[in-house]
Amino acid sequence: MPINLLHEQLINKIAAGEVIERPASVVKELLDNSIDAGANQIIVSIAQGGTTFIEVEDNGHGIKAQELKLAFERHATSKLKEEEDLFHIITMGFRGEALPSIASVSRLEIFSHNADEDAGVYALIHGGKFLDIHEQAMPVGTRIIIRDLFYNVPARKKFLKSIVTEANSIHDLVCRYAVARPDISFTYSNERKTYFKTPGNGSIKDVLVSLYGRQYIEGLVEVDYEGEDYSIQGLISTPAIKRLNRKNQFYFVNNRPIKNPMLYKAVDTAYRGLLISREYPVVALSLKVRTDLVDVNVHPQKTEVRFADERQVFTLVESVLRKRLNNLETNWISQVYKSDLSLSVTDDSFLTRSFKPQEQVASYSIPPRTEELFPRSVNTEINELMETTDTAHQIKVLGQIMDSYILIEMDRELWIIDQHAAHERILFERYKYSQSRQEHIHALVIPLTLQFSTEQMEIINHNQSWFHEQGFELEAIGHNDILLRAAPLPALGNEFEVIMELVEILKNSAYPDIYREMIIRMACRKAIKFGDRLTMDEAGSIMTELVKLDNFKHCPHGRPTMVRLTSGELERMFKRTGA
Amino acid sequence: MKLTIEKSELSSLTTLVYRAAAIRDTIPVLRGLLIEVSPDKGLTMTATDMEIGIRASTAQCNVLEAGSALVNAYYFADFIKSLPDTTITLELNQESSRLNVLYGRSSGFINIYQQMEYPNLPIDELKKCLSLPQKVLREALKKTVFAAAVTHFRQVFTGVLFDIKADKLNIVASDTHRLAFYTYTIDQPDIEPHSFIIPTRTVNELNRVLEDTDDTIDIAFTANNVVFYKDDFLLFSRLIEGQYPNYEQVIPSSFNTRLMFDSEALIKALERSRTMPLDDKLKIHSVQLNLRETEVQFNTHSDDMGEIEDVIEQVKVDGDFDFRIAFNTNYFLDAVKLFASESKFISIDLSGSLGPSVIKNPERNDCLCVLVPLRTSQ
C-alpha cells in the first residue's frame, strides 16, 4: 500500500478525535476560548444533549475579520507565541486545536466582532470547509453555533450516550466552569429552558446558590490561604454535611477545573476522623499556583495537571482544610444555634447574605486543655462539671442506659452518647497528644543487607524520609540492595517483611499515616466497651473530657460520638408543633 | 526388658532427655522416648526430633533383663516425675505391648510404640574436634545466648556462633541490635579453623547438663550437625546454615570515654528506670544518661506517668563527658546483669552519644556486650 501524506481535513478529523469526544468537549473548548477572550458574560445553550445544537455566546474581545480564517487553521492560536510560554500558561487554551477540530466534525456558524473593528464578521463552515464569510453587524464578542455534531463521523456519533447523559455532562461542565470563575456570569439553557445564571460578582458562594439553590451552601464555610507560591480559596462543608460521591467536589488549579487524585486524597485526609469511608465532603477549592510549579499540558483535554511538588501541595491543602475544620469543630454546638439565628436575619437575598463563621469562633471560649492523668477523680470532677456548667456547655449527666449509652442534657438539648466512641475519641486525643514527644531510632549493631526488586527500590528511595519517620534507616547500596541501619524494635526479626509490607502500602496509597492507624487501633482496643457499666462519676468524667476536645462529635473512625434530640424534635414527636 | 531403679535417678535421666522429643505429631515415632537396657551400659534413654537429639545413660540401676521399649516421651516424663520416692520397676510385656511401671504396691502401664522405625542418631562417624572444660562452655553460653533473636528472617541471628580461629574459640550471639561476645584460648595444638552456628534451643538444652566443673565436654562435627558429648551423655544438633556477619568489625576497639560504675548501684538505677510504664504505644523502655565529671544522671520519662532522675555519684569518668546518651533499658540491664554477679564494678566504654558502646567487667577482656545507643529526636 502506498504511503500518502494525509490531507488537512483528515488530519483535523483525527485531531478532533483526541480533543472532541462528545458534545461536552465542544462546550469545554468554546468556554475556554470565551474565557481567554476576556469575556465576563457567557451564555451557553444546547438542544438534544448538544448533538444537534450548541451555542456559546460571549462578550469577549472577538476575532478580527481577517484573522477569522486563520483561527480555523490547525495550530493557529493567539495564546502562545514562543516555546517558553508553554511553561507559563495563563490562558485556558493554548494548543490551537479546538476550532479546526470542532469545525471539521460539524456544521458551524460563527459571528464575531473584534472590539477594535467597526463591524463583525460571519462565517459558515461545514465539515471544515468555508461555505460563506461576510461582514455582519453585531455587538462586540463572539457567538458560535454548532449544529449536527459528528454528522460526518458516523463512528463517533454511534458511540454517543443518551441525550440525557450528554446534556447532564454539559450541565456538569458548565457548572464547574461557573464555580471556577465566579467573576464571570454564566447562563446555561437546555431546550430553551434557562437552568441557571450566575451573578458574576466574584463570590463562589453566590455561584453555588445560583447553581444548586440556597440549601446547598448551608454548612459550607470559607477557606482562604494566601502563600508565596500557592494560594487556596474556596468553600468546604462542615462534617455534618456528607455526600456519597465526589460529584460535589470542585477542584480548580489556576481557574481551570481539573481532576486530580492527589487533591482528592488530601481532602479525604483532612476530613479523616470526621467522615467515615465512602462519605465525601462538599468542597470547591480554587488553587492558585505559580505557573512554573504546575504543568497543564498533560492531556489534550486539559483536565489533568501535574504539580512540580505533589507532596507540598498535598500537605498544604490538607493542613489548610484541617485547620479550618478544627477551628470550626470546637464550636460546632454554638454554630448550630447561631446559624439558626442568622438564617432568619438574612433570609432576604443571597447576594447580601454574609456568612462569617470566624466571628462565631471568636465569640466562644473553650477551657484550656490540660493533661489529666487520672480523670476519674471523683468529687473534684463533679464539682468541675458544675463549674463548666456556668462557663461553657450546660452539661447535666442524666445516666447510662443499656450499659452502652450515656444520656446528658447539654445546652437544653437531650444528647445520647455512644460511650465506646466517646472514650475512644478521648484516648485517641491523648495518644495523639503524646505522639510528638521524643521518638527513638533503634540502630543496628549489625546492619542488614536486604534485596528488593527495582520497583520496590524506587518506592523506598522515594520515601526515605517517610521510612525514617517510622524508625527505619535505609541506605541504597546498589541497584537492588539496601543497607538497613536502624529499625524499630517491634519489627525485630521481621524487618524484611515489615518493610515489604510498608512498600506495598505505599504503592497503593500516597502518604499513609501508619502511626495514626496504630493509635486509632490502640484507642479502640483500650476504650470502654458497650456493655460496660459506668458510675455517674465515670460518665461525668467522660463527658467533661470529651467536650474539651476538638472534633469531639466524631470518633477517630469518623462515626458520630453523640446524637441529639432537640426540644423542637421532642415537641414534634409529641405533636406539640405550633402549640 | 526389666530393671529396677530409684525414682530420683530415673526421673533425672528422663528429665534430661525427654525434651528432645518432637512436640508435633507429624512423625509419631519422634514423639517417643527410647528406653534401652543392657547389662554393660545400664539404662540408656534417647529422644530426638531430628533437629536435636539427646542420649543419656546411667549405670545406677539393676538390670534384670536386657531389651528396649519406645514410649511417649512427654507422658512418660510427666508420669515418672509424679511417682513417689521409692524403687521403681520397669518391665516390658512384649505380648501386650505394654511397659509396666511398678512402684511399691501400686503400678501402671504405658502402651509402647512399635520401635522398629526409630531413627538412629546421625552420630556414626564422630570426629572429635575440641574439648572444653564444662564450666567454660557453660559460662560462654550463658553470657552470649541472651543476645540472640527469638525469631529472625535471617536465621543466623537465632543461633550462637562458635568460631574457632588459631588458638581462639569465639562465641558470639546477636539479634542485630546488640551483640554478646566471649572468647576462650584453647590449649589444644593444631586445631583447624572452623565455625558453626547452633540454635538457641540447643544451647538451652546444653546448659541444663553442663556442670560447673573442670571436667571436659567434647565437641565433634558431621556435615550439618554438631555433637556435644561426655560420659553418659550426648547431644546432637542440626546447625543453622548461613553466613554469620563479620562480628569483629562490630566490636569497637577505641573509645572516648570510660565510665566505671558500682554494679549494685547501676542495677538498682536501671531497675528503677524500668518500673516506668511504657506509654501506650509500641515504644521501648529507654533511659538517658547525662554524663558529668564525677557522676551520671539517669533520666527516665513517660508522657503519661512521670519522670525519674536518678543520680549515681562517684562514677569514675575517664575521657569526654558532658553529653547525653540513651539506651534501651532492657538491653542495658541484660548486659549489666551479666557481669554484676562476678564484679563489684562495671565498665562502659563510649564514643560520643551515637557510637556503639561496650559493657564489660573491667577486669576481664574475654567477655563483653556491644550496645548501640538510641538516637532520640530530642
Side-chain angles (χ1 to χ4, degrees):
Chain A
M1 219 187 281
I3 296 174
N4 298 321
L5 207 57
L6 299 179
H7 60 85
E8 180 112 4
Q9 283 197 15
L10 192 52
I11 294 176
N12 281 341
K13 268 194 199 175
I14 293 170
E18 261 182 53
V19 184
I20 309 299
E21 275 184 337
R22 52 195 298 197
S25 359
V26 174
V27 177
K28 180 191 173 303
E29 295 299 335
L30 296 179
L31 287 176
D32 282 349
N33 284 343
S34 295
I35 291 168
D36 287 341
N40 61 19
Q41 256 183 34
I42 300 175
I43 301 164
V44 180
S45 318
I46 62 160
Q48 297 286 303
T51 52
T52 57
F53 178 81
I54 296 172
E55 179 183 1
V56 175
E57 187 179 351
D58 67 57
N59 63 351
H61 56 58
I63 303 172
K64 285 187 179 163
Q66 70 267 35
E67 287 178 355
L68 186 70
K69 266 200 141 157
L70 190 60
F72 287 87
E73 295 283 329
R74 228 169 118 64
H75 302 305
T77 183
S78 58
K79 300 167 188 179
L80 275 186
K81 292 190 181 73
E82 291 164 21
E83 197 183 325
E84 190 66 10
D85 295 345
L86 201 52
F87 301 100
H88 298 278
I89 289 166
I90 45 169
T91 52
M92 300 295 286
F94 52 83
R95 296 169 77 106
E97 283 180 331
L99 282 180
S101 297
I102 297 168
S104 67
V105 293
S106 67
R107 302 181 216 275
L108 184 147
E109 282 176 273
I110 180 165
F111 303 79
S112 193
H113 182 181
N114 184 278
D116 298 338
E117 293 183 357
D118 297 336
V121 61
Y122 165 84
L124 177 66
I125 307 165
H126 280 191
K129 282 203 192 98
F130 276 84
L131 300 183
D132 187 9
I133 179 161
H134 60 76
E135 213 168 82
Q136 173 92 20
M138 62 170 290
V140 171
T142 305
R143 180 171 155 227
I144 294 181
I145 298 166
I146 284 130
R147 294 179 209 276
D148 303 329
L149 187 65
F150 300 134
Y151 79 97
N152 54 355
V153 195
R156 180 70 75 176
K157 192 160 189 173
K158 219 162 56 187
F159 283 101
L160 287 179
K161 306 221 171 74
S162 73
I163 285 170
V164 177
T165 313
E166 295 298 342
N168 282 345
S169 97
I170 293 173
H171 179 261
D172 196 50
L173 176 91
V174 183
C175 285
R176 281 176 192 276
Y177 269 77
V179 184
R181 295 302 297 262
D183 53 326
I184 298 174
S185 163
F186 285 84
T187 310
Y188 172 73
S189 321
N190 181 5
E191 309 286 355
R192 294 171 190 280
K193 182 177 175 239
T194 302
Y195 278 68
F196 61 78
K197 180 177 195 310
T198 65
N201 62 358
S203 154
I204 293 186
K205 192 162 277 178
D206 292 346
V207 172
L208 291 175
V209 170
S210 37
L211 295 184
Y212 303 110
R214 164 63 48 75
Q215 203 69 46
Y216 192 84
I217 58 158
E218 292 304 331
L220 296 192
V221 295
E222 274 155 10
V223 284
D224 196 349
Y225 166 85
E226 200 71 52
E228 209 166 291
D229 297 334
Y230 302 93
S231 70
I232 300 174
Q233 270 85 32
L235 291 168
I236 60 171
S237 59
T238 58
I241 292 169
K242 45 205 133 197
R243 298 295 147 101
L244 295 175
N245 52 46
R246 290 192 197 279
K247 283 215 173 119
N248 293 285
Q249 299 190 344
F250 303 92
Y251 299 91
F252 313 104
V253 170
N254 295 344
N255 291 332
R256 187 188 300 278
I258 53 122
K259 297 175 191 154
N260 186 309
M262 184 275 295
L263 288 176
Y264 298 164
K265 174 92 184 160
V267 169
D268 290 353
T269 312
Y271 276 88
R272 192 164 48 182
L274 302 173
L275 296 178
I276 59 177
S277 61
R278 286 191 290 283
E279 285 182 353
Y280 301 96
V282 177
V283 297
L285 285 182
S286 174
L287 268 76
K288 301 267 169 29
V289 182
R290 220 176 66 204
T291 49
D292 57 337
L293 293 176
V294 62
D295 183 5
V296 290
N297 191 15
V298 176
H299 190 268
Q301 297 183 3
K302 299 182 214 111
T303 52
E304 289 170 25
V305 295
R306 215 168 269 156
F307 295 101
D309 187 346
E310 279 221 335
R311 176 129 208 185
Q312 197 181 358
V313 178
F314 178 92
T315 319
L316 181 74
V317 170
E318 196 244 325
S319 62
V320 167
L321 262 60
R322 190 76 205 180
K323 211 165 138 200
R324 187 68 190 87
L325 289 168
N326 282 344
N327 209 347
L328 175 96
E329 277 295 304
T330 345
N331 299 279
W332 64 279
I333 290 179
S334 57
Q335 204 158 7
V336 170
Y337 270 85
K338 302 217 169 151
S339 64
D340 276 349
L341 265 170
S342 58
L343 248 179
S344 57
V345 178
T346 55
D347 222 355
D348 44 2
S349 151
F350 67 80
L351 292 176
T352 56
R353 175 146 185 234
S354 67
F355 206 84
K356 287 178 187 157
Q358 288 294 353
E359 282 177 14
Q360 295 167 12
V361 169
S363 71
Y364 230 83
S365 68
I366 15 153
R369 214 193 305 170
T370 49
E371 271 284 285
E372 274 173 76
L373 189 49
F374 301 109
R376 242 142 288 222
S377 60
V378 186
N379 287 326
T380 53
E381 205 55 44
I382 293 297
N383 290 341
E384 234 179 76
L385 208 58
M386 296 308 172
E387 277 169 34
T388 43
T389 309
D390 299 327
T391 52
H393 306 294
Q394 307 242 336
I395 297 178
K396 195 164 105 198
V397 178
L398 305 174
Q400 188 196 23
I401 53 169
M402 301 171 214
D403 291 346
S404 303
Y405 301 95
I406 300 169
L407 291 190
I408 61 164
E409 187 186 338
M410 174 161 67
D411 303 341
R412 297 190 44 75
E413 287 171 335
L414 176 67
W415 289 85
I416 302 163
I417 289 102
D418 175 328
Q419 67 183 35
H420 173 70
H423 196 215
E424 203 178 8
R425 176 91 234 171
I426 294 168
L427 292 178
F428 176 72
E429 290 297 326
R430 221 183 271 164
Y431 296 150
K432 203 169 80 179
Y433 186 68
S434 57
Q435 170 190 1
S436 49
R437 300 299 173 81
Q438 82 185 56
E439 291 295 329
H440 301 301
I441 298 282
H442 215 305
L444 300 184
V445 191
I446 302 176
L448 297 169
T449 324
L450 308 173
Q451 269 94 44
F452 291 98
S453 74
T454 314
E455 188 199 9
Q456 291 166 331
M457 287 292 286
E458 202 160 294
I459 293 170
I460 291 169
N461 284 331
H462 209 75
N463 293 286
Q464 286 275 3
S465 60
W466 183 84
F467 272 105
H468 195 267
E469 283 162 29
Q470 320 300 324
F472 289 95
E473 267 187 28
L474 302 158
E475 185 189 320
I477 52 166
H479 288 299
N480 295 97
D481 292 309
I482 286 226
L483 197 63
L484 181 68
R485 292 195 177 281
L489 206 57
L492 177 62
N494 301 310
E495 290 93 346
F496 186 62
E497 277 168 46
V498 171
I499 294 172
M500 292 279 268
E501 227 166 89
L502 293 176
V503 166
E504 213 44 47
I505 293 170
L506 283 167
K507 199 156 64 178
N508 297 328
S509 79
Y511 312 107
D513 190 344
I514 302 273
Y515 190 85
R516 191 192 144 91
E517 293 303 313
M518 204 175 75
I519 58 178
I520 286 183
R521 222 165 292 163
M522 201 145 48
C524 185
R525 244 192 355 255
K526 299 243 167 169
I528 52 169
K529 303 282 182 303
F530 266 32
D532 289 348
R533 186 160 296 173
L534 302 178
T535 64
M536 285 293 268
D537 295 342
E538 285 173 326
S541 103
I542 286 177
M543 287 322 301
T544 10
E545 283 271 297
L546 184 66
V547 295
K548 278 185 209 161
L549 305 175
D550 298 344
N551 309 327
F552 66 81
K553 194 183 166 193
H554 299 273
C555 83
H557 301 289
R559 286 190 294 272
T561 54
M562 49 207 307
V563 294
R564 67 170 170 173
L565 279 174
T566 62
S567 61
E569 280 164 329
L570 287 172
E571 277 164 16
R572 263 196 300 284
M573 278 188 233
F574 290 107
K575 312 267 183 225
R576 275 175 168 275
T577 10
Chain B
M1 181 193 108
K2 184 171 182 183
L3 86 161
T4 59
I5 185 170
E6 283 306 309
K7 185 256 174 177
S8 58
E9 187 63 25
L10 180 63
S11 182
S12 63
L13 191 67
T14 311
T15 312
L16 209 56
V17 176
Y18 85 97
R19 288 155 55 101
I23 293 165
R24 273 169 300 159
D25 211 2
T26 40
I27 307 173
V29 75
L30 292 185
R31 289 172 63 82
L33 178 80
L34 183 65
I35 301 167
E36 291 166 300
V37 176
S38 72
D40 47 331
K41 284 187 189 159
L43 171 63
T44 303
M45 289 190 191
T46 308
T48 181
D49 62 358
M50 302 311 282
E51 291 292 319
I52 188 174
I54 299 175
R55 170 171 294 165
S57 49
T58 176
Q60 292 176 36
C61 60
N62 186 14
V63 177
L64 301 171
E65 187 191 340
S68 63
L70 186 67
V71 293
N72 181 297
Y74 291 90
Y75 176 67
F76 184 74
D78 277 355
F79 178 57
I80 297 299
K81 226 180 285 175
S82 70
L83 293 182
D85 279 323
T86 172
T87 305
I88 291 166
T89 307
L90 296 180
E91 185 182 17
L92 177 68
N93 182 335
Q94 203 65 263
E95 275 161 39
S96 58
S97 293
R98 285 171 173 183
L99 180 68
N100 293 317
V101 182
L102 311 163
Y103 48 103
R105 294 183 55 215
S106 311
S107 70
F109 72 85
I110 301 173
N111 294 328
I112 64 164
Y113 291 83
Q114 293 311 316
Q115 71 195 63
M116 316 311 284
E117 331 126 50
Y118 198 75
N120 288 324
L121 296 186
I123 50 173
D124 293 341
E125 292 162 32
L126 282 187
K127 228 174 70 195
K128 187 176 134 187
C129 150
L130 132 110
S131 1
L132 294 173
Q134 288 190 39
K135 69 173 185 189
V136 169
L137 184 58
R138 183 179 145 109
E139 184 183 41
L141 295 177
K142 278 203 171 139
K143 290 204 163 152
T144 50
V145 67
F146 74 95
V150 178
T151 57
H152 202 283
F153 69 93
R154 210 144 281 170
Q155 279 256 309
V156 296
F157 294 116
T158 61
V160 174
L161 172 75
F162 282 62
D163 191 15
I164 302 163
K165 281 186 172 175
D167 62 340
K168 295 274 188 223
L169 167 65
N170 294 340
I171 297 179
V172 179
S174 171
D175 66 1
T176 69
H177 285 283
R178 58 175 165 185
L179 179 140
F181 172 87
Y182 187 95
T183 186
Y184 175 70
T185 308
I186 314 165
D187 51 4
Q188 231 169 295
D190 17 291
I191 192 155
E192 275 184 39
H194 191 73
S195 78
F196 57 94
I197 305 161
I198 62 173
T200 45
R201 179 179 168 209
T202 306
V203 175
N204 294 333
E205 292 305 324
L206 207 48
N207 267 336
R208 291 151 56 88
V209 296
L210 292 173
E211 287 157 12
D212 202 9
T213 66
D214 285 323
D215 297 348
T216 57
I217 184 159
D218 296 330
I219 305 174
F221 308 101
T222 61
N224 298 319
N225 299 310
V226 61
V227 181
F228 295 86
Y229 61 104
K230 55 178 189 174
D231 306 339
D232 307 338
F233 176 83
L234 175 149
L235 181 148
F236 101 91
S237 165
R238 221 10 101 76
L239 294 175
I240 294 178
E241 286 172 45
Q243 185 65 44
Y244 209 86
N246 184 349
Y247 60 88
E248 284 168 323
Q249 214 174 292
V250 169
I251 302 169
S253 50
S254 63
F255 305 95
N256 301 332
T257 310
R258 165 165 281 205
L259 304 176
M260 194 80 85
F261 283 100
D262 179 90
S263 318
E264 217 31 30
L266 182 56
I267 287 200
K268 287 268 163 61
L270 290 177
E271 278 177 344
R272 244 188 318 275
S273 159
R274 217 167 51 145
T275 59
M276 183 69 70
L278 294 178
D279 294 342
D280 275 323
K281 278 184 254 168
L282 293 175
K283 270 199 172 173
I284 46 172
H285 284 285
S286 70
V287 59
Q288 193 177 57
L289 279 60
N290 190 356
L291 276 59
R292 313 238 175 83
E293 197 169 351
T294 59
E295 60 180 39
V296 175
Q297 181 186 318
F298 285 64
N299 194 303
T300 315
H301 169 91
S302 155
D303 287 348
D304 285 352
M305 202 54 79
E307 187 162 337
I308 305 172
E309 273 189 19
D310 240 315
V311 178
I312 301 190
E313 292 172 327
Q314 290 172 346
V315 176
K316 210 166 145 254
V317 181
D318 285 332
D320 298 351
F321 54 88
D322 269 341
F323 64 91
R324 288 162 189 271
I325 183 166
F327 289 105
N328 176 330
T329 319
N330 287 318
Y331 278 11
F332 197 176
L333 193 56
D334 281 350
V336 171
K337 277 185 171 167
L338 277 187
F339 306 109
S341 56
E342 62 185 38
S343 170
K344 192 169 161 20
F345 293 102
I346 282 176
S347 74
I348 302 174
D349 296 319
L350 307 171
S351 307
S353 41
L354 298 179
S357 64
V358 165
I359 299 171
K360 62 182 189 182
N361 173 350
E363 278 155 24
R364 287 177 66 174
N365 275 323
D366 59 344
C367 180
L368 55 84
C369 182
V370 184
L371 277 192
V372 189
L374 297 173
R375 261 173 284 162
T376 63
S377 51
Q378 269 184 343

